[in-house]
Amino acid sequence: LDNIILVEGYMDVVALAQFGVTNAIATLGTATSGHHLQQLFRDTSELVFCFDGDRAGRDAAMRALDNSLPLLRGGRDIKLHFLPDGEDPDTLIRQIGKDAFIERLEGSPSLFEFLMAHLSAQVDLDTVAGRGQLVHLARPYLDKVTDPVYRELWQQQLASTAGLSEEKLSRLLAGDAKPEKQGPATISRSGPSKSVRAGGMSPVRLALWLLLQQPSLATRVPHIDWLAGLDEPGAKVLHRMLELLRANPNLTTGALLEHWRGTKTGDALSGLAIQTRDVDGAESEEFDGCIRKLLTFAREQRLKVLEQKTSGSGLNPAEKAEYQQLLQMRRDRA
């Protein structure tokens, strides 16, 4: 077969067959999996996904795209076609006929053309932060491409769209670009004390960066209330990000960035997300270290508050017990 058309429902297959389109198939109540695609590529070199133009259709397209990327290699092609709103293959082919229907499918964008358009629509390419966010959004998809030729071609197109040199983009994707020494003011202030910095990032900034790279790390912080009152730049953003991830454990990096989109914090997070750095150990260990440091800062700040109160109005019994406990923790660290 020159190509195989994948539609959403098996009744669409029946309708198309009635008009002489006999190379259409549909899964029976399941999402299109990598196993399905492997089977199909035994019989054709080109797959054309034909989805409804509504939200459900686009969601189905993204799932199919995710499963398709690892299977791309020389001689294989995948296209995506979205039908006009309110139309399905049955109604459309009845209106325009077989030949016009096939012609529409032949002009469908390739997998990568669709992906670039889809991701570019989520960012402002006229800004540095928007172009940086595009790279970060595209990276998980690019990482799924195993064919070196396809990957090289996609990187070239991504570099062009993001306004980066291919060398710079390759460094960012490989993870060996040096981190910026100072980030946007909404997350980090200029000239922080050396004791608060680690590898060019403060503990708050590094924790944010790690969460953007691996949102599942949020489950490693059982209690976060103490962060709300921490007097450190970016602590409130970190607290809010942890709140979001605890309430929605399946949030992706893109969804996190979308939460702050259009704000100064969103621009800062987008810039932070595309930075790269070498972690000293596993990401989970690095993240745990940040949280321990911040918890120590929070305890020291609370100690100062209680110490000031002892010379003023004095401490109540509960505060005295808290003060002694915090002092003991300080001694244990010494």
Side-chain angles (χ1 to χ4, degrees), residues 206-227 237-253 256 260 283-288 290-291:
L206 181 54
L208 286 168
W209 181 83
L210 287 164
L211 282 173
L212 288 169
Q213 307 304 314
Q214 190 176 328
S216 61
L217 290 172
T219 59
R220 302 181 69 85
V221 190
H223 307 291
I224 62 173
D225 291 345
W226 56 273
L227 262 172
V237 178
L238 177 58
H239 179 257
R240 179 58 182 150
M241 187 177 290
L242 287 168
E243 274 188 333
L244 285 171
L245 289 169
R246 285 158 63 93
N248 307 277
N250 295 322
L251 279 184
T252 62
T253 299
L256 282 176
W260 280 281
E283 289 183 343
S284 58
E285 294 173 0
E286 195 86 0
F287 182 73
D288 290 347
C290 291
I291 298 301

Side-chain angles (χ1 to χ4, degrees), residues 5 7 9-26 89-91 93-94 97-98 101-102 105:
I5 304 168
V7 292
Y10 53 83
M11 290 307 297
D12 293 326
V13 174
V14 175
L16 291 176
Q18 288 176 331
F19 281 82
V21 179
T22 57
N23 59 327
I25 65 163
D90 181 17
T91 60
I93 201 168
R94 291 180 188 279
K98 173 185 175 181
F101 183 84
I102 295 298
L105 295 187

Side-chain angles (χ1 to χ4, degrees), residues 8 28 34-35 52 58 61 81 91-92 124 167 182 201 203 210 224 278 288 293:
E8 291 187 63
L28 294 173
H35 178 66
D52 296 349
R58 293 193 171 269
H81 184 82
T91 60
L92 186 61
D124 183 359
E167 180 184 0
Q182 179 180 331
M201 289 188 184
L210 287 164
I224 62 173
D278 294 325
D288 290 347
K293 289 178 182 178

